[in-house]
Amino acid sequence: MAATLKDVARLSGFSVTTVSRALNGHSDVSEETRKKIMDAARALDYVPNRVAQQLVTRKASAIGLYSLDRETFQNQFITLMISGMMDEVTKHDFNLLLFATQRLLTAEEMVRQCRQRGLGGAVISGVRLDEAWLADLPQLEFPIVLVDVPVQGPKATYVSVNNVLGARQAVEHLVALGHRRIGMVNGHSAAWVSHQRFLGYKQGMEAHGLAFPESYVYEGDFSKESGRRGAEHLLTAHPELTALFVASDLMAVGALEQLQAMGYTVPGDLSVVGFDDQDFAIHVSPPLTTIRQDMYTFGRLAARELIAMINDPHYTPQHVDLPCTLVARGSTGPAGS
Amino acid sequence: MAATLKDVARLSGFSVTTVSRALNGHSDVSEETRKKIMDAARALDYVPNRVAQQLVTRKASAIGLYSLDRETFQNQFITLMISGMMDEVTKHDFNLLLFATQRLLTAEEMVRQCRQRGLGGAVISGVRLDEAWLADLPQLEFPIVLVDVPVQGPKATYVSVNNVLGARQAVEHLVALGHRRIGMVNGHSAAWVSHQRFLGYKQGMEAHGLAFPESYVYEGDFSKESGRRGAEHLLTAHPELTALFVASDLMAVGALEQLQAMGYTVPGDLSVVGFDDQDFAIHVSPPLTTIRQDMYTFGRLAARELIAMINDPHYTPQHVDLPCTLVARGSTGPAGS
DNA sequence: CTGTTAGCGCTTTCAT
DNA sequence: ATGAAAGCGCTAACAG
């Protein structure tokens, strides 16, 4: 059994109260006393019981991470994000609890689950725009940070990369290479990022006075297979296309394979830009030009906002808008070469 | 503020004691009373406070996952494992806490950290054989499940795939394709799996009476770059090789690239088998033949053993030995074709 | 500066 | 079948 405050009190000869205060660094304890108490604590290998501590202080020292929708939110993503969250959380002496729910609970259910466990807030990733409870989030009395879904409230905010800018960079890159007829394979419309990425594509095209009929854009669903279908569809309908902006690396790989299967060379006949810079982007052939999202920082900042809200009830959460960067690789080249 | 037992007691007109018993399904409560209490609880939206519960029962309802050494333990791995752990943990109404430490704490430090937070046990992944505190684990009074490091004790066990068999399957596959001069790129020797995979390679070679001088085996470090060096080294020293068994997919990709850079075709001149079946294995060209580890089940079973130990102090933990399977893809072909 | 008293929300003897 | 009382380990008024 681990030593308790009482044990330390007994050994040091002081009251439990004084021991508590000494150990918590309160100023109303004489240096001499503190020293004696510290020694006793050390001798007993005393470690405060956080469970007891929390019961009385009601100060949360842990946050939760909800990862909905395991399919869409690809592996590496969440790993890096977790990594970032961990580092931030550790810095503040917080803990990180994981929840993986496919069944989408209501906002209230989630808050209750967290409260029950003494969590101070939660990061939620993988939320679709058509989630019914999304509208309830801003009013919640519970600190929430969403990933890639715009939500703002006194206790709620979201983190995202600037998808518009990212998509726009992709287009700019292609235009700079001389491309003028650029198609897009997008993700499904239940993802906020899809709308943003389309917007970026649109801005990029318009900025250069390029035409992009509706049929230049194919709506996929982030799966590799849908990337394949998108490429097939677009090039069958529009053989004049010389480049494709694909809204995720996984779809881009599908597109790559499909294009090659159709006899096109990449980047000779067709250039392809992905989005995400996942692990495998560098390993496919040709290596994929893509827009990198810094998921580590993403996670770090998500945790930071959350903890700020928890530690200061008056803190107004800030939307975190991360830049993303183009990584030029082999899948893009000059137009008409 | 959330409703407490006291509130439910007040509303239902029974004592806190009876309410507690009713809600916990004890048998010494009349059906009528239970019903009334349930109703009151529902009306108040009562949720038991786990923190308080745990303080008094001292029954852990959460486990920790330590992921040491972020570099080596590649992304997808840990994600799938977490996924499996989550599902198992949820089933038992447990929670999962994450710890990502690069600094290797001692076994005692870790136990203390867990106990302090009321955790009942921990899964540790990414442990190297040269970790000094490894020897302390078996004696620990604290339930531990290691990943890929053989440890056994009354409260300690480990999960792993059968790496020997896996490696052997790789060799058998190559031999079946007619290969007789097969080199190996291994991981570093601080990883237990490296020794096992070498053993499997050895067994496979010996079973077919094939020679494998020491110089047929190159010791890498699981990095892509080391795979590259391994391929270069082996084929420079032994141009007679027709196949390579590479102890991880990441190294295998490095090897693939290096071989192609050296002018070899894969699988025309040289066949390559990897290990892991990571995400990108299917995306490289040619798609990588490899040994698949089922990390999801891995995680599930790790959690299962841990929870079994926590719930029953007399439970003797079992080593979980998972099969792994060869996935034949394009990087292997007939010898001398 | 230090100790006494109370209580966080819950479970658990032990009576009744 | 139900309740009173004690206590898990800790912190926080409030006195002195």
Side-chain angles (χ1 to χ4, degrees):
Chain A
M1 223 46 250
T4 72
L5 258 198
K6 213 195 271 183
D7 298 323
V8 179
R10 196 149 32 212
L11 181 63
S12 64
F14 291 91
S15 74
V16 171
T17 313
T18 304
V19 172
S20 169
R21 276 187 306 230
L23 260 25
N24 287 322
H26 289 216
S27 56
D28 54 355
V29 177
S30 81
E31 265 322 305
E32 202 190 327
T33 303
R34 186 189 309 275
K35 195 179 165 322
K36 281 187 193 153
I37 290 176
M38 293 292 213
D39 288 346
R42 199 159 315 118
L44 292 172
D45 200 29
Y46 170 77
V47 189
N49 179 328
R50 290 217 174 196
V51 177
Q53 241 168 2
Q54 185 173 329
L55 181 60
V56 46
T57 60
R58 358 322 296 298
K59 255 215 68 208
S61 68
I63 62 175
L65 169 60
Y66 282 82
S67 171
L68 278 32
D69 183 13
R70 272 188 224 151
E71 319 309 323
T72 303
F73 248 69
Q74 285 302 331
N75 325 334
Q76 203 201 348
F77 256 68
I78 200 84
T79 314
L80 282 173
M81 201 175 109
I82 289 177
S83 202
M85 288 183 66
M86 273 305 314
D87 284 353
E88 188 67 19
V89 150
T90 305
K91 200 164 83 186
H92 297 276
D93 199 26
F94 268 56
N95 284 119
L96 181 60
L97 262 88
L98 244 53
F99 297 97
T101 335
Q102 276 133 319
R103 326 163 303 126
L104 11 153
L105 12 78
T106 66
E108 284 76 20
E109 255 182 308
M110 190 213 62
V111 171
R112 188 187 334 180
Q113 187 177 53
C114 286
R115 284 241 168 85
Q116 177 177 194
R117 289 167 172 74
L119 305 189
V123 173
I124 316 183
S125 94
V127 178
R128 296 169 57 110
L129 292 177
D130 52 12
E131 225 74 82
W133 45 271
L134 204 56
D136 305 336
L137 288 184
Q139 291 87 264
L140 250 39
E141 283 295 304
F142 188 76
I144 295 283
V145 173
L146 255 74
V147 173
D148 278 342
V149 179
V151 162
Q152 299 266 32
K155 297 281 180 200
T157 190
Y158 69 111
V159 290
S160 61
V161 298
N162 196 317
N163 286 283
V164 178
L165 240 54
R168 180 147 181 189
Q169 280 176 73
V171 173
E172 296 288 351
H173 170 69
L174 291 169
V175 169
L177 287 167
H179 296 275
R180 305 190 53 79
R181 292 179 302 279
I182 305 171
M184 173 176 186
V185 179
N186 205 350
H188 57 66
S189 64
W192 179 71
V193 296
S194 298
H195 298 95
Q196 300 295 300
R197 289 172 194 171
F198 172 72
L199 216 62
Y201 164 77
K202 181 164 174 274
Q203 285 184 6
M205 296 299 273
E206 284 173 346
H208 293 279
L210 303 177
F212 57 108
E214 227 172 81
S215 55
Y216 265 29
V217 180
Y218 177 90
E219 181 179 326
D221 57 12
F222 292 115
S223 74
K224 181 171 176 180
E225 182 51 32
S226 79
R228 200 172 268 136
R229 282 196 307 270
E232 179 174 23
H233 181 89
L234 288 175
L235 274 121
T236 305
H238 296 286
E240 76 273 19
L241 291 172
T242 69
L244 251 36
F245 165 50
V246 186
S248 87
D249 283 355
L250 195 58
M251 290 196 293
V253 172
L256 233 46
E257 289 184 11
Q258 177 62 28
L259 291 174
Q260 287 164 348
M262 289 168 84
Y264 293 103
T265 66
V266 178
D269 301 323
L270 236 13
S271 284
V272 175
V273 182
F275 207 109
D276 290 343
D277 196 19
Q278 290 231 39
D279 230 12
F280 55 76
I282 201 167
H283 295 133
V284 300
S285 75
L288 193 62
T289 294
T290 189
I291 306 295
R292 169 180 297 164
Q293 308 201 48
D294 180 358
M295 294 311 287
Y296 173 84
T297 302
F298 210 91
R300 235 172 42 66
L301 296 183
R304 176 157 69 67
E305 285 306 305
L306 209 49
I307 293 174
M309 284 190 259
I310 296 170
N311 284 339
D312 174 10
H314 301 303
Y315 179 77
T316 304
Q318 305 297 316
H319 166 219
V320 174
D321 182 67
L322 256 43
C324 44
T325 55
L326 179 94
V327 183
R329 298 207 183 93
S331 67
T332 47
S337 62
Chain B
M1 222 46 247
T4 73
L5 258 198
K6 213 195 272 184
D7 298 323
V8 180
R10 196 151 30 212
L11 181 61
S12 64
F14 291 92
S15 74
V16 172
T17 313
T18 304
V19 172
S20 169
R21 275 188 307 230
L23 261 24
N24 287 323
H26 289 215
S27 56
D28 55 353
V29 177
S30 80
E31 266 321 306
E32 201 191 326
T33 303
R34 185 189 310 275
K35 198 182 162 320
K36 282 186 194 154
I37 291 176
M38 293 292 211
D39 288 346
R42 201 159 315 119
L44 292 172
D45 200 31
Y46 170 77
V47 189
N49 179 328
R50 290 216 173 198
V51 176
Q53 245 170 358
Q54 185 173 331
L55 180 60
V56 47
T57 60
R58 340 1 269 298
K59 256 215 64 203
S61 68
I63 62 176
L65 168 61
Y66 282 83
S67 171
L68 277 32
D69 184 11
R70 270 187 226 153
E71 319 310 322
T72 304
F73 251 69
Q74 285 303 331
N75 324 332
Q76 202 199 348
F77 257 68
I78 201 82
T79 313
L80 282 173
M81 201 176 109
I82 289 177
S83 201
M85 289 183 66
M86 274 306 314
D87 284 353
E88 188 67 17
V89 150
T90 305
K91 199 163 84 186
H92 298 275
D93 199 27
F94 268 57
N95 285 118
L96 181 60
L97 261 89
L98 243 54
F99 297 97
T101 337
Q102 275 132 320
R103 328 161 304 127
L104 11 153
L105 12 78
T106 66
E108 284 76 20
E109 255 182 310
M110 190 214 60
V111 171
R112 187 188 334 181
Q113 187 176 52
C114 286
R115 284 241 168 84
Q116 177 177 194
R117 288 165 173 76
L119 306 189
V123 173
I124 315 183
S125 95
V127 178
R128 297 169 56 109
L129 292 176
D130 52 13
E131 225 74 81
W133 45 271
L134 204 54
D136 304 336
L137 288 185
Q139 291 88 264
L140 249 39
E141 285 295 306
F142 188 76
I144 295 283
V145 172
L146 254 75
V147 172
D148 278 342
V149 179
V151 161
Q152 300 265 32
K155 297 279 181 204
T157 190
Y158 68 112
V159 289
S160 62
V161 297
N162 195 316
N163 287 282
V164 178
L165 240 55
R168 182 149 178 187
Q169 282 175 71
V171 174
E172 295 290 351
H173 170 70
L174 291 169
V175 170
L177 287 167
H179 297 276
R180 304 190 54 79
R181 293 180 301 280
I182 305 171
M184 172 173 186
V185 179
N186 205 351
H188 57 68
S189 63
W192 178 72
V193 298
S194 299
H195 298 95
Q196 301 294 300
R197 290 173 194 173
F198 172 72
L199 217 62
Y201 164 77
K202 180 164 174 275
Q203 285 184 6
M205 296 299 272
E206 284 173 346
H208 294 278
L210 302 177
F212 58 106
E214 225 172 80
S215 55
Y216 265 30
V217 180
Y218 178 88
E219 180 178 329
D221 57 11
F222 293 114
S223 73
K224 180 172 178 181
E225 182 51 32
S226 79
R228 201 171 266 137
R229 284 195 307 269
E232 177 172 27
H233 182 89
L234 288 176
L235 273 121
T236 305
H238 296 286
E240 75 274 18
L241 290 171
T242 69
L244 251 37
F245 165 49
V246 187
S248 86
D249 283 354
L250 194 59
M251 290 196 295
V253 171
L256 233 45
E257 289 184 9
Q258 178 62 29
L259 290 174
Q260 288 164 347
M262 289 167 84
Y264 293 103
T265 67
V266 179
D269 301 322
L270 234 15
S271 284
V272 174
V273 182
F275 207 110
D276 290 343
D277 196 19
Q278 290 230 40
D279 228 13
F280 54 77
I282 201 170
H283 295 132
V284 300
S285 74
L288 194 62
T289 294
T290 189
I291 307 294
R292 169 180 299 164
Q293 308 200 49
D294 180 359
M295 294 311 288
Y296 174 84
T297 303
F298 210 91
R300 234 173 42 66
L301 297 183
R304 176 157 69 66
E305 286 306 305
L306 208 49
I307 293 174
M309 285 191 258
I310 295 170
N311 284 339
D312 174 10
H314 301 301
Y315 178 78
T316 305
Q318 306 295 315
H319 165 218
V320 174
D321 182 67
L322 257 42
C324 44
T325 56
L326 178 93
V327 182
R329 298 206 183 94
S331 67
T332 47
S337 62

